[in-house]
Amino acid sequence: MIGAGGGIGRALVRALAASGRYARVHALSRQPRADDGRIVGGVIDVTDEASICHAAERIGSPLDLVVIATGILHEDGRMPEKALRELDGASLARIFELNTIGPALALKHFAPLLAKDRRAVIAALSARVGSISDNRTGGWYGYRASKAALNMIIKSAAIEIARSRPLALCVALHPGTVDTGLSQPFQRGVPPDRLFPPERAARQLLDVLADLKPASTGKMFGWDGSEIFP
């Protein structure tokens, strides 16, 4: 689990450990937790490729599941842009660093660790707003664009991974609106049944991953298992 310090990441770590399906769950974050039973803490910083490489080398292969749960929507009081006049180069670069470049480098170093002789999955948290065809309201320029770019990287990586690992899947996931710090400023108006606690979101995402077939590789899926088109 890359990004185990976030709300969804922490919930996914707990759900994976409780499932009993995995002998070991590596919880990677900038501030790692202490080892606890099946859960093994580890350091990773997706803005530092050397850190990503070191984490991958330390864990080794074969891996059955890798989830990249890093990302940013707002930071230090700066909210998503509503208009072109609000665009700022440094902020755009920061958003792409965490939402696109970091996950891409995680794919670079962790995809080669996926098991070759059985089903294996590498997934990254994306967002429905990264779908170009689904964009009907505009705004949120940096977040939308960074997630759209991530979806393209997932697609290209899936094609490459399939050449050596035909049973593997590489997919993007939309978790819905989850009650975490990332979504906190934007929860007004979200129906109560569509604002998911992290624990429920984690269960839903793992259920989606469990149902996917090899033909699903390269695509993005919502929390309810529906495909989200580019």
Side-chain angles (χ1 to χ4, degrees):
M1 175 61 56
I2 299 171
I8 298 176
R10 286 193 299 270
L12 282 166
V13 167
R14 291 192 293 266
L16 288 167
S19 72
R21 288 183 290 179
Y22 303 96
R24 186 174 293 108
V25 178
H26 293 272
L28 306 180
S29 65
R30 286 177 296 178
Q31 297 179 334
R33 58 181 291 165
D35 294 354
D36 180 14
R38 287 192 177 93
I39 302 173
V40 180
V43 176
I44 198 167
D45 181 350
V46 297
T47 68
D48 178 1
E49 185 173 2
S51 169
I52 300 171
C53 178
H54 178 72
E57 290 176 344
R58 184 177 65 84
I59 292 172
S61 61
L63 298 180
D64 292 303
L65 175 64
V66 178
V67 179
I68 305 166
T70 61
I72 185 174
L73 176 55
H74 55 88
E75 185 178 49
D76 298 333
R78 188 170 184 87
M79 294 290 111
E81 315 91 346
K82 295 181 179 179
L84 286 169
R85 64 178 177 274
E86 298 176 11
L87 292 178
D88 173 77
S91 294
L92 286 172
R94 174 67 173 168
I95 291 169
F96 271 81
E97 181 182 40
L98 290 169
N99 290 353
T100 311
I101 299 171
L105 293 175
L107 280 163
K108 171 184 174 179
H109 291 283
F110 279 85
L113 304 181
L114 294 175
K116 289 185 175 183
D117 60 346
R118 58 185 183 270
R119 184 182 189 272
V121 178
I122 187 164
L125 294 193
S126 186
R128 182 180 294 275
V129 297
S131 165
I132 295 172
S133 63
D134 193 61
N135 184 357
R136 296 176 178 84
T137 60
W140 288 32
Y141 285 89
Y143 190 72
R144 285 185 185 276
S146 65
K147 291 298 187 178
L150 173 61
N151 295 340
M152 180 59 81
I153 287 171
I154 289 289
K155 175 63 176 180
S156 292
I159 294 170
E160 179 178 347
I161 291 168
R163 293 173 185 146
S164 59
R165 292 166 173 79
L167 299 178
L169 294 97
C170 178
V171 297
L173 297 172
H174 167 60
T177 304
V178 184
D179 189 11
T180 65
L182 184 142
S183 71
Q184 195 72 45
F186 313 103
Q187 294 178 4
R188 181 180 298 177
V190 178
D193 63 339
R194 290 298 180 94
L195 180 60
F196 304 131
E199 294 74 19
R200 177 179 171 183
R203 292 195 303 271
Q204 291 174 162
L205 293 175
L206 293 178
D207 286 344
V208 170
L209 291 178
D211 289 341
L212 295 181
K213 303 297 187 291
S216 301
T217 194
K219 300 177 181 180
M220 176 165 63
F221 295 92
W223 58 270
D224 58 355
S226 62
E227 181 179 350
I228 299 173
F229 297 97

